């Protein structure tokens, strides 16, 4: 039928063949989408490990903190730990020591400064952990349209070939259409993992932020009780 055999169809569906036969514009689109996909997976793996590890270390730190009998001793021993909860704790205790080192204590001002210092520490940790996540959102929203651009360009080229050869047989139409659709497939291949990972990582960060805020509130309440007990 029109000389288009099953073996030729299998060869046409080979990704490398589709790339090599594509127009230069479509090739550039494919290369860009492939690089975007590699970059996306690098961010997914690195941030997934970073966020998961930070959450576990922060949970252990909080558990040890609430079991500690002396806050000052715990600060001297664990205040420099590398996790988000330790950064919030260190910010709060540093401000506590600065505000209470003099004989006269401004209780309302100290409470306000404690809340500000720990809130800033939470925000700084979230900024650090969310770095480059916007790339996932960008790839997820833009990649399908870039792939669609490659598809439209490839179909235009296929129609040009049809007009040039004055034939509508599969032998003439199929290569150009297949190359064009392959660009769309690459766009979806880059976009789908980016969108899923962005949602999952954002959800994990929101949970970590909520946990840090609860910890900061608990630490603030503990230090407020210390202020009430202080002369």
């Amino acid at each position: 039928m029109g000389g288009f055999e099953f073996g030729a169809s299998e060869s046409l569906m080979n990704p490398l063949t589709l790339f090599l036969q594509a127009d230069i514009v479509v090739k550039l689109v494919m290369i860009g989408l492939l690089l975007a996909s590699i970059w996306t997976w690098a961010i997914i793996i690195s941030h997934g490990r970073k966020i998961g590890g930070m959450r576990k270390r922060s949970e252990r730190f909080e558990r040890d903190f609430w079991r500690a009998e002396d806050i000052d001793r715990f600060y001297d021993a664990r205040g420099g730990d590398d996790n988000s909860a330790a950064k919030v704790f260190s910010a709060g205790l540093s401000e506590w020591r600065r505000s209470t080192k003099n004989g006269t204590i401004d209780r309302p001002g100290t409470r306000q400064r404690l809340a500000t210092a720990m809130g800033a520490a939470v925000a700084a940790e979230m900024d650090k952990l969310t770095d480059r996540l916007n790339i996932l959102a960008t790839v997820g929203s833009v990649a399908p349209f870039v792939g669609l651009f490659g598809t439209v360009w490839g179909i235009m080229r296929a129609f040009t070939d049809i007009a040039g050869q004055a034939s509508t047989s599969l032998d003439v139409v199929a290569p150009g259409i297949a190359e064009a659709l392959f660009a769309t497939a690459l766009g979806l291949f880059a976009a789908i993992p980016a969108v899923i990972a962005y949602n999952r990582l954002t959800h994990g960060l929101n949970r970590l932020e909520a946990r840090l805020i609860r910890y900061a509130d608990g630490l603030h309440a503990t230090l407020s009780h210390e202020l009430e007990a202080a002369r």
Side-chain angles (χ1 to χ4, degrees):
M1 294 181 63
F4 190 75
E5 300 178 354
F6 181 71
S9 175
E10 283 185 330
S11 174
L12 184 64
M13 290 304 295
N14 186 299
L16 182 59
T17 301
L18 291 174
F19 173 78
L20 293 176
Q21 293 180 350
D23 180 76
I24 182 61
V25 174
V26 181
K27 281 182 180 177
L28 291 175
V29 169
M30 291 179 180
I31 292 172
L33 290 172
L34 184 60
L35 292 176
S37 179
I38 294 172
W39 194 10
T40 294
W41 278 107
I43 294 173
I44 291 171
I45 294 172
S46 64
H47 275 61
R49 290 178 176 175
K50 181 192 296 184
I51 294 170
M54 186 64 72
R55 184 180 65 250
K56 291 178 181 178
R57 292 196 301 273
S58 294
E59 289 174 357
R60 286 196 298 266
F61 182 89
E62 288 183 47
R63 184 173 60 248
D64 295 341
F65 168 77
W66 293 118
R67 290 175 180 173
E69 297 180 356
D70 189 298
I71 293 179
D72 286 313
R73 268 206 304 257
F74 186 80
Y75 174 74
D76 294 335
R78 302 284 301 277
D81 284 11
D82 184 21
N83 63 75
S84 298
K87 300 295 176 58
V88 175
F89 171 70
S90 180
L93 258 291
S94 296
E95 182 57 45
W96 162 265
R97 288 185 172 183
R98 282 194 298 268
S99 298
T100 59
K101 66 181 179 180
N102 298 322
T104 303
I105 300 175
D106 178 13
R107 290 178 174 80
T110 298
R111 290 191 182 94
Q112 181 61 43
R113 288 191 294 271
L114 286 171
T116 301
M118 289 188 288
V122 172
E125 286 300 299
M126 290 301 103
D127 286 343
K128 184 172 64 176
L129 291 173
T130 56
D131 181 42
R132 293 194 300 172
L133 283 187
N134 62 317
I135 295 174
L136 297 182
T138 301
V139 172
S141 60
V142 173
F145 295 101
V146 175
L148 183 59
F149 168 77
T151 296
V152 172
W153 187 275
I155 290 176
M156 289 170 57
R157 177 173 174 258
F159 281 133
T160 302
D161 291 342
I162 291 172
Q165 299 186 31
S167 173
T168 58
S169 68
L170 286 177
D171 291 334
V172 175
V173 176
I177 299 297
E179 296 158 13
L181 293 177
F182 186 51
T184 295
L186 283 178
L188 295 176
F189 179 75
I192 291 174
V195 172
I196 294 174
Y198 178 79
N199 291 333
R200 292 301 304 166
L201 292 175
T202 301
H203 175 68
L205 285 171
N206 290 338
R207 290 180 59 191
L208 178 59
E209 183 178 16
R211 187 182 188 95
L212 291 176
I213 291 173
R214 288 195 300 270
Y215 172 66
D217 289 343
L219 179 57
H220 187 276
T222 300
L223 296 176
S224 294
H225 288 309
E226 293 290 332
L227 276 177
E228 293 299 329
R231 294 181 180 179

